[in-house]
Amino acid sequence: MKRISLFTIIILCLLSISFGAFAEDLSLSALTLTTNPDGSQEYSVNLQILIFMTALSFIPAAVIMMTSFTRIVVVMAILRQAFGLQQTPSNQVIIGLTLFMTLFIMTPVYNQIDKSAIQPYLSEQLTSTEAINLAKVPLRAFMLEQTRIKDLDTLAAMAGIDAVDKPTDLPMTVIIPAFIISELKTAFQIGFILFIPFLIIDLVVASILMAMGMMMLSPMIVSLPFKLMLFVLVDGWNLVIGTIATSYGLGT
């Protein structure tokens, strides 16, 4: 038993030493930083994969906050509230429509990123750092087109940035929150315009019911068919989707 236990201890020690050496070699190879002939630095492929897998958790936030997703989903939510419906269209339908509308609106931006950054990087013409810097250019231009100067000035002042030659010189940490604020304001403006006709129908129906002495009948039940009929007659979905797309400069 002593021989067996001693032999087992020796085997475990050898395995731990070999595993430690392997792990050390692996860590060293995974964290390699290579200097290119032009002076730029490039991380090893293993570290790039690790960074990419970590960045996957931030993709939902990027899709929501750096694209047209916010404006569309807010407008759809206000429209459903104007109807007086709680679950129709369902959240799945609204999110699905918003995602495909976001894909439609952001396709020109993606094509620019693919042409200037993704394809050259896949062809090994650019390093990962250069590709990221080039990919930010079309996305930053898109966000600045939809961002108010007032919001940029407010966020820049809060960040301690006094003055810049042009808005593109601002860091993304300033542009992204300013873009979100501007998107929310635009979404509320569109939602207000959509809400007015339905509100008028509710007021008219409520006044008629009170004049008829039908106090116990909910005006929402009576006005809902009229609001649906109005929305269908004016081809409401086409108008709403067209208005949102036009607000981003599509179709103009």
Side-chain angles (χ1 to χ4, degrees):
M1 293 294 294
K2 292 182 179 181
R3 292 181 179 179
I4 295 176
S5 60
L6 181 60
F7 180 75
T8 304
I9 293 174
I10 294 174
I11 293 296
L12 291 176
C13 291
L14 292 176
L15 288 175
S16 63
I17 293 173
S18 60
F19 178 77
F22 174 75
E24 183 179 0
D25 293 338
L26 180 62
S27 62
L28 290 176
S29 62
L31 300 177
T32 301
L33 185 62
T34 305
T35 302
N36 298 318
D38 58 353
S40 61
Q41 293 182 331
E42 179 75 6
Y43 294 102
S44 63
V45 176
N46 294 331
L47 189 56
Q48 291 181 28
I49 294 175
L50 178 62
I51 295 174
F52 175 76
M53 296 301 294
T54 304
L56 287 178
S57 60
F58 297 97
I59 289 180
V63 171
I64 293 175
M65 297 302 176
M66 299 175 65
T67 63
S68 59
F69 185 93
T70 301
R71 181 186 302 185
I72 301 172
V73 76
V74 171
V75 170
M76 292 299 175
I78 295 177
L79 179 62
R80 183 173 65 178
Q81 188 68 28
F83 273 120
L85 301 172
Q86 300 299 325
Q87 298 297 331
T88 305
S90 63
N91 292 331
Q92 291 83 354
V93 173
I94 290 179
I95 296 299
L97 178 60
T98 303
L99 285 175
F100 279 102
M101 278 298 300
T102 301
L103 180 63
F104 172 75
I105 294 173
M106 298 300 297
T107 295
V109 180
Y110 170 77
N111 291 336
Q112 296 179 22
I113 295 175
D114 181 69
K115 181 179 179 181
S116 62
I118 297 178
Q119 294 303 324
Y121 175 72
L122 295 178
S123 302
E124 298 182 355
Q125 300 176 3
L126 298 174
T127 62
S128 59
T129 305
E130 293 173 342
I132 292 174
N133 292 331
L134 290 176
K136 290 191 298 185
V137 175
L139 187 60
R140 180 171 53 203
F142 168 79
M143 290 191 290
L144 288 175
E145 288 179 359
Q146 310 300 327
T147 305
R148 298 181 302 163
I149 299 298
K150 181 179 180 181
D151 295 330
L152 286 174
D153 293 339
T154 301
L155 270 299
M158 294 173 63
I161 301 175
D162 297 331
V164 293
D165 296 334
K166 49 187 177 180
T168 53
D169 294 335
L170 291 171
M172 294 293 284
T173 53
V174 172
I175 296 176
I176 293 176
F179 169 74
I180 296 171
I181 296 173
S182 298
E183 285 290 281
L184 289 175
K185 179 179 180 180
T186 305
F188 275 73
Q189 290 174 339
I190 298 175
F192 172 78
I193 296 174
L194 292 175
F195 211 105
I196 293 300
F198 301 107
L199 180 60
I200 294 175
I201 294 176
D202 287 333
L203 292 176
V204 171
V205 171
S207 300
I208 294 175
L209 291 178
M210 290 184 65
M212 296 175 63
M214 304 175 67
M215 305 295 184
M216 302 302 295
L217 183 61
S218 174
M220 297 295 296
I221 299 176
V222 181
S223 64
L224 180 58
F226 293 99
K227 289 189 287 187
L228 293 176
M229 181 181 65
L230 173 65
F231 195 74
V232 172
L233 289 178
V234 300
D235 198 6
W237 289 114
N238 186 26
L239 292 176
V240 172
I241 298 301
T243 300
I244 295 174
T246 304
S247 66
Y248 285 101
L250 299 180
T252 58

